[in-house]
Amino acid sequence: MAPPTTKRLGELDGGARPHVMFIPSAGMVHLLPFFHIIVALVGHDVDISVVTVLPTVSAAEADHFSSLFAALPRVRRVDFHLLPFDASEFPGHDPFLLRWEALRRSAHLFRPLIDGAAPRVSAVVTDVTLTSHVIPIAKELGVKCHVLFVSCTTMLSLLAYTPVHLDKKAEQGPGVGDIDIPGVRRIPQSYLPQPLLDLNKLFTKQFIDNGREIINADGFLVNTFDALEPVALAALRDGKVVPGFPSVYAIGPLRSQHNSPEVEKEEATGSPVAWLDGQPARSVVYVAFGNRNAVSRDQIREIATGLEASGYRFLWVLKTTTVDRDDSAELTDVLGKGFLERVQGSGLMTKAWVDQEALLKHPSMGLFLSHSGWNSVTEAAASGVPLLAWPRGGDHRVNATVVVSDGVGVWMEH
């Protein structure tokens, strides 16, 4: 089936200047695709509002929101203050997952924001983590609601089909088991996001609620492209996964429209962009495991040993905590005595935020050792840098199946 047809912006609201309200969620992996679309859209004849949840979980989120509104004064900022939320109900949970739940419990407050906006909101674009609450509100108000899906199309098909699978599986006994997505692929249970294996987990309840509601969206914007995921896109568009599924628009790979303040600062101070300038073409191994994936000290030192022994040049973005505000450890303490001195000149380590897209475009990049988060996969594919997938959790194993099947790179386990 061919990709769905698109409408001109004026057709969203009877020919009048449209007003699109973006309702993102938490975490840089969820925010960056929103920012890319907003920057691309601002040059068109359209009003834009962005719901900004306060306070943000991480410092990187706060910095990027500030940069967005400073650079684009036409974009309206709509502050959204969460209702009190007792996180002690869910001890030990990921702070970003807790933020999603806090957002869901405050989601009824989106109704007056949408209904009372001036000019009238023509369309809402929301994050998939909020769909079970935002879609019904938009429908009640007669506002089009599209979902920006920040993972791969294969993961979207898994989200759409999981409720169907569980309804069938309930008749056969407990457990999730492998999920055979019609027209796409069979996802082994070991590849699923681990919380899905426990139907009582907070993430699982959110996932299933959203999976049941997404059929009522007006369309999906997915950061992918037809050459990367032809099978999954066709299966959703043809109704093989779920009959009557909404239109799916492949809008990737999403790219920055201009340099971020972080990149400009890096270029000015000489790190790490200037360091890359001094390396031979295709010679650097880039190591990064995403913004939410902390690595244990022991594992960090094992990686360090391997990088040093390989003899290859490398750029390594380190994280020791899930939330950047909590990360106060010094590189020397993390990496061990003498490591920084031994790799001086051949290796560069940083704990600072980097513009990964800009780094991957650099001609010295030769390989990307990655957790296979979807933003990383699409950025590597768009930059022509082969990816060595080392999935850490969440949707990473599902993404890694796409990495392998579509020739973007290889999966360490395979």
Side-chain angles (χ1 to χ4, degrees), residues 356-376:
Q356 181 168 276
E357 180 186 353
L359 297 181
L360 286 168
K361 290 178 180 177
H362 198 283
S364 68
M365 282 295 180
L367 177 69
F368 184 9
L369 173 57
S370 168
H371 63 309
S372 67
W374 189 243
N375 286 341
S376 294

Side-chain angles (χ1 to χ4, degrees), residues 140-346:
E140 290 172 12
L141 296 174
V143 175
K144 295 288 186 182
C145 185
H146 285 69
V147 178
L148 176 54
F149 194 75
V150 300
S151 187
C152 62
T153 314
T154 304
M155 191 68 193
L156 176 56
S157 68
L158 176 65
L159 174 65
Y161 188 71
T162 293
V164 179
H165 169 80
L166 291 176
D167 289 344
K168 294 178 179 179
K169 193 75 171 57
E171 303 170 3
Q172 304 170 16
V176 177
D178 298 348
I179 301 181
D180 196 356
I181 307 171
V184 182
R185 67 170 72 236
R186 187 178 188 86
I187 306 293
Q189 179 172 289
S190 61
Y191 290 10
L192 299 174
Q194 289 304 299
L196 281 184
L197 305 185
D198 183 348
L199 299 181
N200 295 314
K201 286 280 189 181
L202 175 62
F203 172 85
T204 310
K205 293 176 180 179
Q206 294 175 350
F207 191 88
I208 295 170
D209 286 348
N210 291 325
R212 293 192 188 281
E213 185 61 41
I214 59 174
I215 191 71
N216 297 314
D218 290 291
F220 279 82
L221 313 176
V222 186
N223 182 19
T224 193
F225 46 101
D226 287 85
L228 183 60
E229 294 189 275
V231 174
L233 283 166
L236 281 170
R237 289 168 175 166
D238 293 342
K240 293 179 181 178
V241 178
V242 177
F245 197 77
S247 297
V248 179
Y249 302 93
I251 60 170
L254 293 173
R255 300 178 181 180
S256 298
Q257 303 296 311
H258 59 269
N259 276 2
S260 68
E262 290 79 6
V263 173
E264 292 169 359
K265 182 177 179 182
E266 286 168 3
E267 292 173 345
T269 60
S271 175
V273 174
W275 182 84
L276 290 173
D277 289 341
Q279 311 307 317
R282 310 287 285 183
S283 68
V284 175
V285 176
Y286 174 52
V287 183
F289 300 118
N291 299 295
R292 289 179 53 199
N293 299 283
V295 180
S296 70
R297 296 288 183 95
D298 288 343
Q299 197 163 42
I300 285 174
R301 294 198 177 188
E302 290 292 333
I303 295 170
T305 299
L307 288 171
E308 183 180 3
S310 74
Y312 287 102
R313 295 172 173 84
F314 63 90
L315 170 59
W316 186 4
V317 180
L318 277 162
K319 273 186 67 69
T320 59
T321 60
T322 302
V323 180
D324 54 10
R325 289 188 174 110
D326 302 331
D327 197 346
S328 59
E330 297 293 333
L331 281 175
T332 303
D333 298 331
V334 173
L335 294 166
K337 185 177 180 180
F339 178 78
L340 294 176
E341 292 75 15
R342 292 195 303 273
V343 300
Q344 187 173 6
S346 63

